[in-house]
Amino acid sequence: MKSIRLGDEAPNFIAKSTEGEINFHDWLGDSWGVLFSHPADYTPVCTTELGTVAKYKPEFDKRNVKVLALSVDSLESHIGWIKDINETQGTTVNFPIIADEDRKVAELYDMIHPNADDKMTVRSVFVIGPDKKVKLMITYPASTGRDFNEILWVLASLQLTAYHKVATPANWHQGEDCVIVPSIPEDQLAENFPMGYTEIKSYLRITPQPNV
Ligand code: BEZ
């Protein structure tokens, strides 16, 4: 199995899901994508995670991001469990869940970490850009449910820095100052940053967030 690294093309696959067969690249279209695995159906933390993603779906839609869940359980299991998620989390699951019983996708994306658990997927998150390249990978253990505010926060940074020549500093939040990427030479700062900039050091230049 070839490991996936940032900047690689996200491996394509065709898989069964609760919303029909998915060809991953075709399904993504021109959108950003979040592919995330959870350890197993009918487990408590996963139930809260999938309910939370359903509630946050409008936030993902606003950002042109499609969400796709995965576990190595069957389609029948997913369909039964969705009823429980809807009932207990007060929501309606509104995104597809891949039924990866043969572990094809889990193995392609290295979502099973045998020293953690040799059967269940860990909590992997892959963010894919509209160019189908992998922009971010995060891995959580089964015991830690994800904070999907963190996923929305990192999407804000990924989308900002994809389209503007800035990076986001430590603890950055939407609307706060950004760092100018080091590759912009000093004589091009005024042209590239009409909102202004502050040069604290030659390598540390700050500008207001360009897209607010
Ligand atoms: C859960 O989703 O609750 C869970 C799954 C596997 C191990 C521990 C917790």
Side-chain angles (χ1 to χ4, degrees):
M1 178 185 38
K2 185 177 167 290
S3 62
I4 298 175
R5 293 181 174 161
L6 297 187
D8 290 354
E9 181 170 290
N12 196 24
F13 56 81
I14 295 173
K16 273 193 296 188
S17 90
T18 50
E19 296 188 4
E21 188 176 89
I22 285 182
N23 175 316
F24 188 45
H25 283 191
D26 291 350
W27 177 82
L28 283 169
D30 295 328
S31 300
W32 289 70
V34 173
L35 171 66
F36 67 106
S37 56
H38 57 273
D41 293 357
Y42 295 103
T43 51
V45 176
C46 300
T47 300
T48 62
E49 283 195 325
L50 270 64
T52 301
V53 173
K55 287 179 195 153
Y56 280 28
K57 176 82 169 6
E59 293 301 319
F60 289 110
D61 290 343
K62 256 196 257 173
R63 293 163 174 79
N64 188 31
V65 179
K66 291 185 169 180
V67 287
L68 180 57
L70 174 148
S71 75
V72 295
D73 299 289
S74 69
L75 200 53
E76 294 66 38
S77 166
H78 285 349
I79 289 164
W81 180 43
I82 283 172
K83 291 188 197 130
D84 284 4
I85 299 171
N86 291 344
E87 177 196 326
T88 63
Q89 306 303 303
T91 189
T92 302
V93 171
N94 45 12
F95 55 90
I97 309 173
I98 292 176
D100 191 36
E101 268 184 296
D102 60 4
R103 300 169 164 219
K104 199 175 74 182
V105 181
E107 282 171 11
L108 195 59
Y109 278 81
D110 197 17
M111 291 165 165
I112 295 174
H113 296 195
N115 290 328
D117 191 291
D118 60 359
K119 289 194 185 67
M120 299 189 294
T121 40
V122 291
R123 299 188 196 279
S124 297
V125 182
F126 290 87
V127 177
I128 320 292
D131 57 1
K132 311 289 184 292
K133 300 273 170 61
V134 176
K135 306 297 182 188
L136 176 92
M137 300 184 292
I138 320 179
T139 310
Y140 291 78
S143 51
T144 303
R146 283 157 286 206
D147 182 342
F148 287 92
N149 296 305
E150 182 191 356
I151 309 300
L152 290 176
W153 160 79
V154 80
L155 279 165
S157 172
L158 291 171
Q159 293 185 332
L160 169 68
T161 59
Y163 305 120
H164 298 274
K165 293 170 182 157
V166 293
T168 56
N171 292 351
W172 173 84
H173 286 100
Q174 193 67 263
E176 295 178 357
D177 286 352
C178 299
V179 164
I180 296 172
V181 293
S183 59
I184 307 289
E186 191 165 351
D187 62 358
Q188 289 175 21
L189 290 175
E191 173 196 339
N192 279 284
F193 299 97
M195 293 165 82
Y197 61 91
T198 307
E199 191 164 350
I200 299 166
K201 292 277 182 195
S202 58
Y203 60 87
L204 179 57
R205 293 101 38 107
I206 308 294
T207 191
Q209 182 176 330
N211 65 346
V212 287

